[in-house]
Amino acid sequence: MANVAVVGAQWGDEGKGKVVDWLSERADVVVRFQGGHNAGHTLVVNGVTYKLSLLPSGVVRGKLSIIGNGVVVDPWALLAEIERIGAQGITITPDLLKIAENACLILPLHGHLDRAREEASGSAKIGTTGRGIGPAYEDRVGRRAIRVCDLDDKAALESKIAALLAHHNAVLRGLGATEIDGGALLTQLLEIAPKILPFADVVWKRLDEVRHTRKRVLFEGAQGAMLDVDHGTYPFVTSSNTVSGNAGTGSGVGPGQVGYVLGICKAYTTRVGSGPFPTELFDEIGARIGERGHEFGTVTGRARRCGWFDAVMVRQAVKVGGIDGIALTKPDVLDGFDELKICTGYRCRGEVLQHFPASMSRQAEVEPIYEVMPGWSESTRGARSWKDLPASAVKYIRRIEELIEAPVALLSTSPEREDTILVQDPFAR
């Protein structure tokens, strides 16, 4: 059976939650493969809104849900999320949720360090959520991380905490921040271990069994391609690989099992936090898009920066991420505009570029080249077929397809899952 990977094709917040929920009904297993509780997905199911950060979206549908080894897990945040979702009638059991035993943990010290470093950076701050995701990934590659499996071994925890704090307390001293008490941290971990360990599993083996039973797997990405630690607007990026190539590595399957790659992008562009944003609007049009699109972060509540659709950036995401088709969201936010603009290239230092440069200084200097298209006065909200869309909206979508060199496989016209126009079923490929 075909598998599908869903990834963001912009700077995150593209509406992956609704699309993943829509696809999860067709899937048997849903896997989160990167990121932490800095990412948020909002799902609206039967009129009920669920806000998920660490939990895969499949839990709402009762599908086997897996947190892969590529995710950094804050066990306290996870338990709080399980409790919150439980209050909405969704019971999370070890039969429903599996956590990779080799996933690395986010500890309280990571958030403490994250916030201390951002504060020390002043105006040069990256704009992290302060939840410790970056420091946790640093510990992972620095080979000093505490993993889920370590919670079952007190002696290992003691030695690992000592090694961990030898590094981090030195950094905290240099920042003038409060140092971490190793004994208190050990106590915290021993207290939470019995609550987390029942969910621990050999995920790569579990997914191999799934493959042999020919079940459909949905790999759920967080954030977006332009926040990828390698391919994004570095250093204003997240600390993991957000492109589809990490779906295999972050869950323990081979690249051939990832299957169809569906990229999610809005009919315009948004970004949260610091960093370059060539098509950002600082006028009443940008404010109007933000207001109509309810552009506030699911996790942080921060207002998102808004701008015109950047076809250069999305095309780059398509190429780098191996995206087979696009799910285009929120065209209804553009209803009522007399004209719309699409960025088709950049000007930078006397050159015309058809890609987003890697250099931080060049990224800050690029100026968008726009193509102007007519808008539409009719409503697209809730449309469920192409014939329900205004002709100008169809032309806008077709032009996006041409510029990003990928088809629109799915069009989302409201937060409700039924308000979706399916052009190509990713699972049927």
Side-chain angles (χ1 to χ4, degrees), residues 316-398:
Q316 190 161 321
V318 166
K319 306 297 185 184
V320 171
I323 291 172
D324 297 298
I326 286 289
L328 191 68
T329 66
K330 292 193 168 186
D332 56 298
V333 173
L334 301 179
D335 292 351
F337 283 91
D338 293 330
E339 64 177 30
L340 304 171
K341 294 181 180 180
I342 299 176
C343 174
T344 60
Y346 304 128
R347 289 190 182 87
C348 183
R349 301 181 184 179
E351 294 181 85
V352 173
L353 303 178
Q354 290 298 322
H355 70 281
F356 205 76
S359 162
M360 182 177 173
S361 59
R362 284 181 178 270
Q363 287 179 355
E365 293 176 22
V366 296
E367 298 178 358
I369 299 171
Y370 285 121
E371 178 177 313
V372 180
M373 296 193 68
W376 54 88
S377 58
E378 307 95 319
S379 173
T380 62
R381 188 175 180 85
R384 298 184 182 180
S385 69
W386 286 107
K387 66 180 177 60
D388 296 332
L389 297 173
S392 293
V394 174
K395 289 179 182 177
Y396 181 76
I397 294 165
R398 295 304 186 204

Side-chain angles (χ1 to χ4, degrees), residues 135-205:
Y137 273 115
E138 289 172 33
D139 282 347
R140 177 188 175 196
V141 298
R143 293 166 292 187
R144 55 179 174 264
I146 292 174
R147 304 189 296 174
V148 172
C149 55
D150 296 326
L151 294 175
D152 200 27
D153 189 337
K154 181 180 178 182
L157 276 180
E158 289 175 336
S159 63
K160 286 197 168 193
I161 287 173
L164 193 66
L165 296 189
H167 172 83
H168 284 301
N169 277 340
V171 175
L172 289 168
R173 277 196 300 274
L175 292 170
T178 305
E179 295 182 36
I180 304 299
D181 182 305
L185 178 57
L186 176 63
T187 298
Q188 287 177 298
L189 289 171
L190 291 176
E191 286 178 350
I192 204 165
K195 301 175 184 177
I196 293 295
L197 285 171
F199 296 99
D201 195 26
V202 185
V203 159
W204 67 265
K205 189 171 182 293

Side-chain angles (χ1 to χ4, degrees), residues 29 31 66 203-211 217 251 253:
V29 183
V31 184
I66 292 174
V203 159
W204 67 265
K205 189 171 182 293
R206 175 80 57 178
L207 289 173
D208 186 59
E209 293 168 356
V210 166
R211 178 172 69 91
V217 180
S251 57
V253 303

Side-chain angles (χ1 to χ4, degrees), residues 77-367:
L78 177 61
L79 291 177
E81 188 172 338
I82 288 173
E83 183 178 353
R84 187 176 70 250
I85 295 300
Q88 292 184 278
I90 305 295
T91 302
I92 309 297
T93 67
D95 289 330
L96 178 64
L97 176 68
K98 307 292 182 184
I99 306 173
E101 62 176 2
N102 53 336
C104 297
L105 297 179
I106 299 176
L107 307 175
L109 70 89
H110 291 129
H112 178 52
L113 178 61
D114 202 354
R115 293 185 292 272
R117 290 198 305 206
E118 282 283 89
E119 185 178 343
S121 297
S123 61
K125 65 182 179 180
I126 294 173
T128 75
T129 60
R131 284 165 166 75
I133 280 76
Y137 273 115
E138 289 172 33
D139 282 347
R140 177 188 175 196
V141 298
R143 293 166 292 187
R144 55 179 174 264
I146 292 174
R147 304 189 296 174
V148 172
C149 55
D150 296 326
L151 294 175
D152 200 27
D153 189 337
K154 181 180 178 182
L157 276 180
E158 289 175 336
S159 63
K160 286 197 168 193
I161 287 173
L164 193 66
L165 296 189
H167 172 83
H168 284 301
N169 277 340
V171 175
L172 289 168
R173 277 196 300 274
L175 292 170
T178 305
E179 295 182 36
I180 304 299
D181 182 305
L185 178 57
L186 176 63
T187 298
Q188 287 177 298
L189 289 171
L190 291 176
E191 286 178 350
I192 204 165
K195 301 175 184 177
I196 293 295
L197 285 171
F199 296 99
D201 195 26
V202 185
V203 159
W204 67 265
K205 189 171 182 293
R206 175 80 57 178
L207 289 173
D208 186 59
E209 293 168 356
V210 166
R211 178 172 69 91
H212 285 292
T213 56
R214 298 181 64 79
K215 291 181 178 179
R216 292 175 169 178
V217 180
L218 181 62
F219 297 95
E220 179 182 5
Q223 294 128 337
M226 299 312 290
L227 290 175
D228 186 278
V229 69
D230 289 309
H231 302 289
T233 49
Y234 190 91
F236 301 101
V237 293
T238 193
S239 300
S240 61
N241 288 112
T242 61
V243 295
S244 65
N246 196 28
T249 307
S251 57
V253 303
Q257 294 178 49
V258 173
Y260 187 99
V261 180
L262 182 68
I264 317 296
C265 67
K266 289 174 181 169
Y268 50 97
T269 311
T270 63
R271 176 167 200 168
V272 170
S274 306
F277 186 170
T279 65
E280 184 173 9
L281 294 167
F282 300 95
D283 56 13
E284 62 180 23
I285 293 177
R288 182 179 173 189
I289 290 173
E291 182 180 346
R292 294 192 63 183
H294 305 290
E295 296 298 349
F296 297 92
T298 299
V299 171
T300 64
R302 289 184 292 182
R304 298 175 186 138
R305 300 153 64 188
C306 298
W308 295 120
F309 187 86
D310 190 335
V312 181
M313 183 179 73
V314 176
R315 181 173 63 242
Q316 190 161 321
V318 166
K319 306 297 185 184
V320 171
I323 291 172
D324 297 298
I326 286 289
L328 191 68
T329 66
K330 292 193 168 186
D332 56 298
V333 173
L334 301 179
D335 292 351
F337 283 91
D338 293 330
E339 64 177 30
L340 304 171
K341 294 181 180 180
I342 299 176
C343 174
T344 60
Y346 304 128
R347 289 190 182 87
C348 183
R349 301 181 184 179
E351 294 181 85
V352 173
L353 303 178
Q354 290 298 322
H355 70 281
F356 205 76
S359 162
M360 182 177 173
S361 59
R362 284 181 178 270
Q363 287 179 355
E365 293 176 22
V366 296
E367 298 178 358

